[in-house]
Amino acid sequence: MTLVAAAVLSWFLGGLWIALMRSLRLGKQVRAEGPQSHLAKTGTPSMGGVSFLLAAAVVYGLQGGDEYAGLWLLGLGYALLGLADDLAGMMRRPLKAREKLAVQVVMGLVFAVWASGQVSYTPYPVLDVALFVLVMIGASNAFNFTDGVDGLLAGVTAVLLLPFQGLVLAQSLLGALLGFLWHNAPKARLFMGDTGSMGLGALVAGLFILEGKLWWLPLAALIPVLEVLSVMIQVTYFRRTGRRIFKMSPLHHHFELSGWEESKVVFRFVVVTAITTALAHALWGGPA
């Protein structure tokens, strides 16, 4: 019932959010240097992370909460940072990378100190703290880069949550994503924005950390890992040679410009995530 309640509430709030954004005439500003096919998406209501994260949080709270309440606070913090970035982008004054990084480090550090008292991966707490901060920063940015094609990040994240469906947090978040996907399915009527992508990155990474499954996160979340690596490789190679390895980064844009339709990119990336998540789940000793 937790999943169903979150899905219905997310679907309802998503519809309200679309109406509100349209009434305020606020919509996504699509980068001119991106794929030309995406220019038609200009003006689509964004910041949909507000609706589905709110739905998930409400349903989670009504269940009485549990030991993962601290993780929700982290997700809220990253979502608020993403919201600030979304709003700044709409005003054509996006936050600078170093500004976002500074806030991510501070929030990640607070979470890491708390989480190091719950679980350990090294013999030294200080190393755990450093590890957790790096993972939080990496995950939030990797999920942010993955968001860029209708239904992609929501679909990938939904699969990543499946091994944790015994937890109320995962049930509420998965249900909320399903409700959001109703509006985000191609052709999307609502984008999650940085609000949703950064919040999801923090929540999923934190869940893997607290459940003792951190070492399997790069395998399960292979698509977000490849997305952020494609950006790093592209930027580094271009600065050194003036040439590009990929037709465009992040990776999903490379495949779009190679002739794949958006829906094909989404379907295949989700299939890859299902395979890597199932493999990670089997390797950490989950039930077959």
Side-chain angles (χ1 to χ4, degrees):
M1 286 302 295
T2 298
L3 188 151
V4 174
V8 172
L9 182 58
S10 175
W11 169 80
F12 176 73
L13 293 179
L16 290 181
W17 189 254
I18 292 172
L20 175 62
M21 290 294 99
R22 286 178 174 170
S23 68
L24 296 175
R25 297 184 179 179
L26 294 176
K28 176 72 173 178
Q29 299 298 319
V30 178
R31 295 183 305 140
E33 62 271 21
Q36 294 302 297
S37 61
H38 286 214
L39 294 178
K41 300 181 180 183
T42 299
T44 301
S46 187
M47 298 182 289
V50 171
S51 61
F52 73 75
L53 288 175
L54 176 60
V58 167
V59 172
Y60 173 80
L62 290 176
Q63 295 294 317
D66 53 25
E67 67 272 21
Y68 294 99
L71 178 56
W72 267 115
L73 293 177
L74 173 76
L76 175 62
Y78 274 83
L80 288 175
L81 174 60
L83 179 62
D85 195 30
D86 284 332
L87 291 173
M90 288 182 179
M91 295 183 287
R92 301 186 183 278
R93 296 180 59 186
L95 299 179
K96 296 180 179 179
R98 63 174 178 270
E99 295 172 338
K100 290 189 288 186
L101 180 60
V103 178
Q104 288 175 329
V105 169
V106 172
M107 291 190 296
L109 183 59
V110 172
F111 169 78
V113 171
W114 173 74
S116 65
Q118 314 295 316
V119 63
S120 62
Y121 289 85
T122 75
Y124 308 102
V126 66
L127 291 182
D128 283 328
V129 169
L131 174 64
F132 296 165
V133 171
L134 289 174
V135 170
M136 281 298 145
I137 295 173
S140 62
N141 286 293
F143 276 54
N144 186 232
F145 283 127
T146 305
D147 184 36
V149 181
D150 298 352
L152 177 57
L153 181 57
V156 166
T157 305
V159 173
L160 288 170
L161 291 169
L162 290 177
F164 304 103
Q165 280 309 292
L167 304 174
V168 173
L169 183 148
Q171 292 173 18
S172 59
L173 195 54
L174 176 58
L177 282 171
L178 294 178
F180 169 73
L181 274 169
W182 183 270
H183 302 293
N184 190 234
K187 179 180 177 182
R189 297 172 58 236
L190 178 65
F191 298 146
M192 70 169 64
D194 291 358
T195 309
S197 61
M198 294 181 69
L200 286 177
L203 286 166
V204 171
L207 185 58
F208 270 79
I209 288 172
L210 294 175
E211 280 295 295
K213 305 298 188 295
L214 174 57
W215 302 128
W216 305 110
L217 177 59
L219 172 59
L222 180 62
I223 290 298
V225 169
L226 293 178
E227 294 273 23
V228 72
L229 284 178
S230 71
V231 174
M232 296 170 63
I233 292 170
Q234 185 88 323
V235 171
T236 301
Y237 189 75
F238 183 79
R239 286 178 176 174
R240 292 186 176 183
T241 68
R243 293 178 294 176
R244 294 176 172 85
I245 293 179
F246 303 102
K247 294 182 179 180
M248 185 177 289
S249 63
L251 189 61
H252 55 264
H253 288 328
H254 170 79
F255 285 104
E256 280 188 273
L257 295 181
S258 297
W260 290 18
E261 297 178 357
E262 277 194 50
S263 57
K264 183 173 290 186
V265 173
V266 173
F267 189 89
R268 288 179 173 174
F269 278 28
V270 170
V271 167
V272 170
T273 302
I275 293 171
T276 56
T277 300
L279 180 59
H281 187 239
L283 290 174
W284 79 49

